[in-house]
Structure formats: structure tokens, C-alpha cells
Amino acid sequence: MDIGVKGRHAIVCGGSSGMSRAAAWRLAKEGADVTLVARTAERLAAAAGEIADDTGARVDWFATDLTSDAGRKALLAARPACDILVANAGVPQRPVDFRTLDRAQWDGWLDAHFFSAIDLIHGYAPGMMERRFGRIVSVSANFIKFPQVGVGPSHAARLALAGAIASLVREVAPYNVTINSVLPGLIDTEALRAALAALAEARGVPYAVVEDEAKARCAAGRLADPQEAGDLVAMLCAAQMGYVTGQNIVNDGGAYQGLF
């Protein structure tokens, strides 16, 4: 199936690894021109070269820290327009004792999981509206559907983003611009394995014990390949998806058991 993105320009944040890199690969495979964005130039250059060699697409990169206001402004100045935006700051949530949190830490999580996306949406959506095409996908987490102990700051910022998007979609939808969020669960990425390893160390148990426990909480009973999540992101960027907007789409192998 041709998803209608050939010749479109996609900016994929967090694109040097994990599900964002998988999304970038799929969009490039479908004929989009892709810009990868993340913090580390060496990893970006390697990923861009590999995706370009594999797909034959035009793939470039821009190194910046999207958790900072200056980093976001730098990206918008360097790449002032795009047709597709995958918003993902690439900052994993980590458990924290709420008694240790100060205002600066709350602000840090808001930068990581709210402003990193909303500033880019505000920057790119007007141009998409003028051109009458835009696809924006925010990468969130399935846990915002059932918040977990110890990660309130991350959940709060992501829930604030979901609320802002829910309001904004009605302003941009008449111009063929959609905004959706993907809520992944156990995606087999470096970030997930690092989180599981940290938990195993904190509990003093082997890594395999923690991984098996995580899998047991998922109906599918396994970790997902990053490409499974990346392909979902790319699908939401399809030209044919212009009537799907404002949705929080869970991709977690059945871990979340709610209806809505």
C-alpha cells in the first residue's frame, strides 16, 4: 500500500535510535525525505547513513537538545518547515521519590515531555495549514492511561500535552492537518533495557527476572520489535489518515485493560 508520503519532508525527533528510528526508516522507505533529530551527532550521522543506504531516500540530520528552549528554537530556525513531524524528545521516564522533587525538577519534566513537543507543533503546524497537509505524531507512553507509582512528573507533563493536543486538533483539522499520539508499552529499545537493568540492580535481582515480570504483565507476553511501533507511527502519517485525529493510540500488547 502506498501511504502517499513520497516527496514529503518528515522531521523525526529522537530519530537516532528505537521506535523513532524505525519510524524514520519506514517513512524513508515510503519515499519521504527525512531529517533525523536527536542530541548526539555521531549517532545521528550513523543512523542517517544507514537509513539512506537501505532505502535510497534523502536522509539528513540535525543535532540539538529538544528538552531546552534554545534547542527547539535552533531546530525551527534550521528546518523551518515540514510536512510530517514525529515529536519525541527521547527522554525515558525514571522513578523518583516525590519528596525529593523541587520546582526545577518539575520544570525539567515539563520541558522534556510537554514543551519539547508543543513548541514544535506550534512552530510547524501553521505552515502545514497553509499547504493543506500535515501529519503530526507525538510519542508518549501507555502508562498515561494508568499512571504508575513514582513517575508522576513524567505522567503529568505527558497528560498536559495530551490535553493541549485534544484542544488544538479542532483548529487544524479543517486544513488537513492531523495530530495523534502513540502510547507504546514494552518496545525492545536501549531505553527500555536500561530501565529494566536499573530496576534489577535496585532490587538486587538478575535482569532476566525483571524482564520476565514485565512480559507477564503484557497479554502478548513479549517485547515488541521497534519496527512494530515505528510502522504504526508511519501509518498515522499517511495521506489516507486525514480523518483520524486527536487520538491516543495504545500500542502495548494488551497491557492496558481499559476500554477508553
Side-chain angles (χ1 to χ4, degrees):
M1 176 179 174
D2 183 353
I3 66 172
V5 299
K6 186 174 183 179
R8 300 286 188 186
H9 178 209
I11 291 178
V12 181
C13 303
S16 63
S17 63
M19 63 179 289
S20 282
R21 174 175 170 153
W25 179 88
R26 177 57 65 189
L27 289 167
K29 192 74 171 176
E30 294 291 333
D33 301 330
V34 177
T35 298
L36 305 179
V37 182
R39 287 179 290 272
T40 307
E42 293 79 6
R43 287 169 62 91
L44 282 167
E50 290 167 5
I51 294 172
D53 289 345
D54 194 35
T55 64
R58 289 188 291 182
V59 183
D60 68 354
W61 55 273
F62 185 80
T64 191
D65 183 359
L66 294 175
T67 69
S68 73
D69 181 63
R72 297 187 289 272
K73 287 178 177 175
L75 173 60
L76 289 166
R79 303 290 190 278
C82 67
D83 305 298
I84 295 166
L85 170 66
V86 178
N88 180 6
V91 179
Q93 60 190 20
R94 290 288 185 266
V96 59
D97 185 336
F98 77 93
R99 292 167 294 187
T100 68
L101 290 168
D102 58 24
R103 176 59 184 267
Q105 289 170 300
W106 280 99
D107 287 345
W109 284 108
L110 283 167
D111 267 321
H113 288 154
F114 180 78
F115 289 112
S116 65
I118 205 68
D119 284 354
L120 298 185
I121 293 171
H122 286 170
Y124 289 120
M128 294 176 176
M129 295 164 69
E130 291 176 7
R131 295 185 297 275
R132 299 275 172 163
F133 181 90
R135 298 290 182 264
I136 299 171
V137 180
S138 170
V139 177
S140 184
N142 67 329
F143 282 148
I144 68 167
K145 289 276 193 174
F146 52 124
Q148 305 294 294
V149 172
V151 283
S154 171
H155 293 342
R158 284 170 159 157
L159 284 165
L161 178 62
I165 288 173
S167 175
L168 182 58
V169 292
R170 289 156 182 81
E171 297 184 59
V172 302
Y175 302 92
N176 190 29
V177 177
T178 67
I179 313 175
N180 292 289
S181 298
V182 171
L183 279 52
L186 296 173
I187 311 300
D188 192 3
T189 62
E190 294 176 19
L192 175 67
R193 291 193 172 275
L196 295 178
L199 182 58
E201 182 177 1
R203 290 173 51 190
V205 299
Y207 173 88
V209 170
V210 175
E211 182 177 321
D212 288 345
E213 289 174 351
K215 290 176 181 177
R217 294 190 292 269
C218 168
R222 63 179 179 86
L223 308 183
D225 187 285
Q227 199 62 54
E228 295 179 83
D231 286 349
L232 173 59
V233 171
M235 181 186 73
L236 291 169
C237 299
Q240 298 92 329
M241 298 297 283
Y243 211 60
V244 177
T245 194
Q247 301 305 301
N248 292 286
I249 300 171
V250 178
N251 180 27
D252 69 357
Y256 175 61
Q257 299 180 31
L259 290 175
F260 304 106

